[in-house]
Amino acid sequence: MSGNIPIADREGPRRIEQELTEADRSRRKIEFDYSGGERLSMNMGPQHPSAHGVFRAILELEGEEVVGVDAVIGYLHRCHEKLAETLTYAQYPSIASKTDYVAAMTSEFAYVMAAEQIGKIEVPKRAQYLRVICAELQRIASHLLWLGTWCMDMGGALGGGATIFLYTIRERETILDLFEELVGARLLYGFFQVGGVRYDAPANWIEHCRTTLDAIDGRVVEYEQMLEGNPFFLARAKGVGFISRELAEDVGIAGPLLRGSGVNFDIRKAAPYSSYEDFQFTIPVETVGDCFARYRVRMAEFRQASSIARQALDKLPEGPISSMPGLKSVAQVRIPKGEAYTRVEGPRGEVGCYLIADGTAKPYRMKWRGASFSNLAVLPYIVPGVKVADVPAIMGSVDPVFGEVDR
Amino acid sequence: MTAEQATALIAERFAGAQVTAGIPLVVMVPPDQWGAFAQFAKETLGCQFFSFSSAVDWKADGLEVIARVENLDAGFAVMMKTRLGPGVSTCASMVPVYRGANWMERECWDMFGIRFEGHPDLRRILLEDSWVGHPLLKSYAVDTPYPPYR
Amino acid sequence: MAMKPPNVPVIPAPVWRNFKELQEWEQLHKTRPEGDQHSQAFTSLTEGIHGFPGGFLVTTTADAFLNWARKSSIWPVTFGLACCAIEMMATFASRFDVERLGMVPWASPRHSDLMIVSGTVTIKMAPMLERIYAQMPDPKWAVSMGSCSNSGGPFRHGYHVVKGVDRVIPVDVYVPGCPPPPESLLNGLLLLQDQISHFRKTGRRAPPTPKVD
């Protein structure tokens, strides 16, 4: 079959852009043979309802089957790393929340931890616990949004998939109410600062948290019954988008994807930060590595996150909330020369911040290791071979947030 | 394999590398041994997990390429660094060893203009192909205008 | 009997395959005649009726009726760009529920009247945004949601950020905030409905609201 030329040969070796000649361009062509083995390039995005943001995938199709994918990212590149070099340690955390905007708390967390590690700044115990509570509530909120949008991708907005989306958004709003009570903002917080947190828990907030968590725990059971008794959901989620353990580690994917592929690795256990060693929890691991395994891991994480948040609420100590309260100017936080790489376990995996400080009020270089960037890099390895209708299901199970992919 | 054993192994195999113990293990590798060290880290040290790779522009001292790999079972990480030297912007690619380096090195080419020898698909990744300049270099101003949209 | 070898046609590569060709496509799109606007005959007909003694009664009644119909069923295209898209989704979903205003979030620009630009417009995204806006049928409106699309917001000094979506497409309502809460967006949408109900003469745009940053 003349249509079955491998993509690499057909397109010629991809060279550096300057060296690509007109002859190379004209060699790109599509051939199809008499037997109907047609090869088709299909564009998906950058504005696509199931792309979870601004993502463009150029799919090479052979009939219904995907044989190659070229992922184009960068439609939301907002110059975070360059801007961080021009903003002080007090200013940047609220911008950091705009990298992973679905889980804003964890992105701020990684940045302030890096600054604290270089400056050897102690964080009071109460602030550490408040950080843990917020990070875990944020994990629940982020997974709720993931569940709703993923099911909407698979079911279609008009085909019944919107049902669970409306349910999960209802629960997510209750968590956003908690954050609004604590910080005053719904989505992007600026709650973390170097040395602690910015606001203390208001009156009755802890009680409010407990009742909200109780309500959500009950709802998660309902979702599981609703989804796992649905043959259409199981048919679309099971046996789709396999990631082997070897591929997972090689590409560096993290979080629920890594644990869905049988790797028992969670930064909260492997390298505890911010008093995570005080809490009892288990790490859910699935060995199959398909979309359904990732779904199971995330559903189990709902319970673990809720349990950690409850323990932190029970043990919340009294005391100051920041070791450097009363910041009077943005340039007040100065940390000495040095470098650090800190990471936190976000809802999507390892959110890391590599910071180089040069002794002034601004960092010399900041590098985000976005969890979604690494997770999305696995797409070209798992998408070829599946049917085109499974691509949104796989995309949704990877759960990328494009603020973090493009930064 | 522990971090101490890994330090001893690196010192034995790579004489030119400077090892700083700590968390993570920081290893300064000469640029010509970059690819070989990546192979060694994956196969001998068991660092299967590729965390990230990036670069730093040290103005007059030239560019520095960094990569962080991790052994998840033994629980230690290796931060590999190499100084390319003033004016040099080519480096060996890690893609034959770690597939995760593919997008990371494309981002490095995009942001710093470092050409990775042996990379299968070195195109810009975040900015568009027609972009002029490499923004994360210190010589590039953050508000450099780009027509026609401003 | 030996089969005749099949005739293998060669299809040229798709035009969007590399960026240079994409730019040519964009140029073609820009220089295309204004086909999406109102036809000349319709405009001159309404102008004629309006100029006729007493004819303004016809045009203003028709205006009122058409504007009522337009403002009661605005379909926004689901165009999520960044953080604000999450708040936009919350606005569309259970608690805030824009469907009670007659708005159905629709995934196709060809069937939509409103584009809510929710998030930072980057230089790489701006041509796509322009094209999606061009794909929407007239009359169409745009709401700029959040500081980033109003003016660039916190990323205004970035090298890859367009300093306000109004440099790319015309905007009717600006919603301030980073991100604007759903109540704020709903207020903006109600403002837009109000603006639509004050359309003067069939087919003419109302002046945009003062810019809020």
Side-chain angles (χ1 to χ4, degrees):
Chain A
M1 268 170 63
S2 61
N4 275 352
I5 309 165
I7 297 167
D9 295 349
R10 193 158 50 78
E11 296 206 332
R14 283 236 171 83
R15 291 185 208 148
I16 301 165
E17 52 195 347
Q18 286 91 341
E19 294 170 8
L20 202 69
T21 58
E22 279 306 323
D24 283 335
R25 290 215 175 93
S26 66
R27 217 167 52 203
R28 294 176 176 182
K29 61 189 177 192
I30 297 173
E31 295 174 6
F32 64 90
D33 66 4
Y34 200 61
S35 62
E38 187 182 350
R39 211 171 250 257
L40 184 74
S41 294
M42 192 179 78
N43 185 40
M44 178 180 154
Q47 193 266 332
H48 191 275
S50 75
H52 285 225
V54 277
F55 172 68
R56 178 173 165 206
I58 300 166
L59 302 168
E60 299 269 343
L61 306 181
E62 214 170 76
E64 281 275 304
E65 197 174 306
V66 183
V67 291
V69 60
D70 185 8
V72 185
I73 60 171
Y75 292 102
L76 193 54
H77 177 57
R78 298 194 276 193
C79 336
H80 269 281
E81 292 175 11
K82 191 80 177 173
L83 278 173
E85 293 169 9
T86 67
L87 295 172
T88 64
Y89 296 108
Q91 285 174 317
Y92 188 68
S94 59
I95 306 289
S97 65
K98 291 166 184 74
T99 53
D100 183 353
Y101 43 78
V102 178
M105 290 282 185
T106 44
S107 358
E108 295 170 23
F109 206 160
Y111 181 81
V112 297
M113 266 174 63
E116 282 156 6
Q117 190 173 324
I118 301 172
K120 299 195 174 52
I121 299 166
E122 284 293 316
V123 182
K125 205 73 174 167
R126 187 177 173 86
Q128 292 190 7
Y129 274 57
L130 279 172
R131 285 178 176 188
V132 168
I133 294 167
C134 287
E136 297 304 321
L137 287 176
Q138 185 73 81
R139 189 184 316 277
I140 297 173
S142 168
H143 282 354
L144 281 171
L145 190 70
W146 157 78
L147 185 64
T149 48
W150 185 48
C151 292
M152 195 155 73
D153 289 348
M154 294 202 300
L158 300 176
T163 312
I164 194 141
F165 175 73
L166 294 175
Y167 285 156
T168 56
I169 289 284
R170 177 186 62 188
E171 263 68 76
R172 186 173 173 270
E173 291 285 339
T174 61
I175 290 186
L176 297 192
D177 283 346
L178 292 177
F179 287 143
E180 201 170 357
E181 224 171 293
L182 180 67
V183 191
R186 275 168 52 89
L187 190 69
L188 308 173
Y189 309 104
F191 178 62
F192 290 64
Q193 67 177 19
V194 178
V197 294
R198 225 176 268 274
Y199 309 103
D200 205 345
N204 293 334
W205 189 74
I206 291 169
E207 271 315 301
H208 194 174
C209 274
R210 286 211 183 92
T211 49
T212 307
L213 286 172
D214 285 342
I216 288 173
D217 281 355
R219 298 289 190 191
V220 170
V221 177
E222 277 180 26
Y223 301 151
E224 278 188 333
Q225 288 168 350
M226 198 163 117
L227 289 171
E228 288 169 29
N230 185 334
F232 299 102
F233 172 77
L234 295 178
R236 294 212 64 182
K238 272 191 179 167
V240 172
F242 283 104
I243 303 177
S244 68
R245 181 186 167 135
E246 188 267 332
L247 176 69
E249 292 194 3
D250 209 17
V251 178
I253 66 174
L257 279 80
L258 189 65
R259 293 193 282 278
S261 299
V263 184
N264 188 347
F265 180 73
D266 189 313
I267 299 161
R268 292 174 293 174
K269 281 274 190 206
Y273 53 92
S274 188
S275 302
Y276 263 110
E277 64 275 7
D278 296 359
F279 310 115
Q280 301 290 321
F281 60 99
T282 54
I283 303 169
V285 179
E286 295 277 332
T287 48
V288 182
D290 60 351
C291 290
F292 191 70
R294 283 165 235 151
Y295 157 82
R296 292 294 310 160
V297 168
R298 287 190 176 108
M299 291 314 257
E301 278 188 5
F302 273 123
R303 299 199 178 83
Q304 296 304 325
S306 156
S307 146
I308 296 170
R310 257 176 240 272
Q311 291 174 42
L313 287 168
D314 290 340
K315 294 192 207 163
L316 187 64
E318 293 298 320
I321 53 160
S322 176
S323 58
M324 40 176 68
L327 281 179
K328 291 203 177 55
S329 88
V330 288
Q332 198 174 330
V333 184
R334 276 172 195 271
I335 58 176
K337 248 183 181 177
E339 60 168 73
Y341 175 72
T342 52
R343 58 216 175 124
V344 298
E345 182 72 31
R348 271 157 281 281
E350 179 181 336
V351 180
C353 178
Y354 178 68
L355 198 68
I356 299 179
D358 59 352
T360 60
K362 296 171 185 172
Y364 184 79
R365 163 102 174 96
M366 202 259 323
K367 154 84 186 160
W368 272 114
R369 187 243 185 244
S372 306
F373 184 85
S374 298
N375 290 356
L376 199 68
V378 83
L379 269 194
Y381 303 105
I382 59 171
V383 163
V386 304
K387 296 273 186 287
V388 65
D390 289 333
V391 175
I394 294 173
M395 273 289 295
S397 79
V398 170
D399 189 20
V401 170
F402 282 87
E404 201 185 20
V405 174
D406 303 337
R407 299 182 302 283
Chain B
M1 171 90 51
T2 61
E4 289 76 38
Q5 289 170 343
T7 316
L9 263 176
I10 296 166
E12 183 191 319
R13 197 76 69 83
F14 291 89
Q18 306 161 14
V19 187
T20 317
I23 303 170
L25 215 63
V26 180
V27 186
M28 194 63 132
V29 191
D32 52 336
Q33 291 179 347
W34 182 248
F37 189 84
Q39 192 83 33
F40 167 78
K42 185 171 186 182
E43 285 165 8
T44 315
L45 302 183
C47 293
Q48 301 277 338
F49 183 80
F50 182 82
S51 182
F52 74 91
S53 109
S54 185
V56 185
D57 179 14
W58 290 107
K59 291 177 186 167
D61 296 341
L63 293 160
E64 183 182 74
V65 180
I66 53 175
R68 188 179 188 279
V69 293
E70 193 166 351
N71 188 336
L72 295 185
D73 300 322
F76 72 90
V78 177
M79 179 82 90
M80 307 156 55
K81 298 184 175 187
T82 184
R83 285 284 175 106
L84 300 182
V88 183
S89 62
T90 50
C91 180
S93 173
M94 283 170 72
V95 180
V97 189
Y98 292 102
R99 279 177 279 182
N102 189 330
W103 281 22
M104 295 279 182
E105 287 181 355
R106 275 176 69 186
E107 194 191 330
C108 258
W109 154 248
D110 199 350
M111 293 291 154
F112 291 93
I114 301 171
R115 279 174 192 241
F116 288 92
E117 308 277 332
H119 192 288
D121 186 16
L122 199 63
R123 292 172 291 155
R124 282 188 185 268
I125 185 165
L126 294 180
L127 307 175
E128 57 223 72
D129 289 345
S130 59
W131 196 273
V132 180
H134 299 282
L136 277 181
L137 293 175
K138 290 284 174 186
S139 55
Y140 192 98
V142 64
D143 48 1
T144 306
Y146 183 89
Y149 287 110
R150 55 168 76 194
Chain C
M1 196 178 113
M3 290 279 285
K4 215 176 125 191
N7 182 20
V8 181
V10 176
I11 298 175
V15 286
W16 37 263
R17 198 57 217 241
N18 62 52
F19 191 76
K20 196 181 164 201
E21 287 161 3
L22 185 71
Q23 277 180 330
E24 285 162 12
W25 205 91
E26 288 297 332
Q27 281 303 320
L28 188 79
H29 200 83
K30 275 181 194 155
T31 51
R32 192 177 57 122
E34 293 284 321
D36 288 341
Q37 304 292 324
H38 286 286
S39 70
Q40 206 63 45
F42 182 74
T43 312
S44 57
L45 183 70
T46 51
E47 292 282 341
I49 294 172
H50 192 72
F52 201 74
F56 70 93
L57 283 173
V58 179
T59 50
T60 48
T61 316
D63 265 347
F65 176 73
L66 288 174
N67 290 341
W68 169 78
R70 278 172 187 151
K71 81 167 194 188
S72 308
S73 71
I74 303 174
W75 286 13
V77 56
T78 57
F79 188 57
L81 282 173
C83 333
C84 292
I86 308 293
E87 287 295 69
M88 189 178 74
M89 275 159 63
T91 317
F92 291 162
S94 16
R95 186 183 282 185
F96 296 95
D97 189 18
V98 291
E99 284 194 30
R100 65 208 156 105
L101 304 177
M103 298 186 182
V104 185
W106 207 253
S108 152
R110 291 280 183 204
H111 307 102
S112 310
D113 315 293
L114 168 66
M115 176 189 265
I116 302 177
V117 185
S118 55
T120 317
V121 184
T122 59
I123 286 169
K124 196 170 177 178
M125 194 62 199
M128 319 298 168
L129 189 139
E130 220 176 334
R131 193 194 301 181
I132 290 168
Y133 187 76
Q135 282 173 350
M136 287 161 54
D138 273 337
K140 54 192 171 187
W141 297 276
V143 170
S144 159
M145 179 185 179
S147 310
C148 289
S149 68
N150 289 350
S151 69
F155 304 102
R156 187 179 173 86
H157 301 293
Y159 48 87
H160 197 237
V161 176
V162 178
K163 299 176 194 324
V165 71
D166 45 9
R167 302 188 181 207
V168 186
I169 58 168
V171 176
D172 296 280
V173 176
Y174 295 87
V175 181
C178 183
E183 296 92 337
S184 205
L185 179 62
L186 280 175
N187 184 33
L189 294 175
L190 290 172
L191 267 177
L192 179 76
Q193 287 197 335
D194 188 48
Q195 199 173 311
I196 292 171
S197 66
H198 288 92
F199 256 27
R200 285 284 161 259
K201 264 209 286 182
T202 324
R204 285 210 191 149
R205 304 289 297 263
T209 50
K211 182 168 175 173
V212 186
D213 194 341

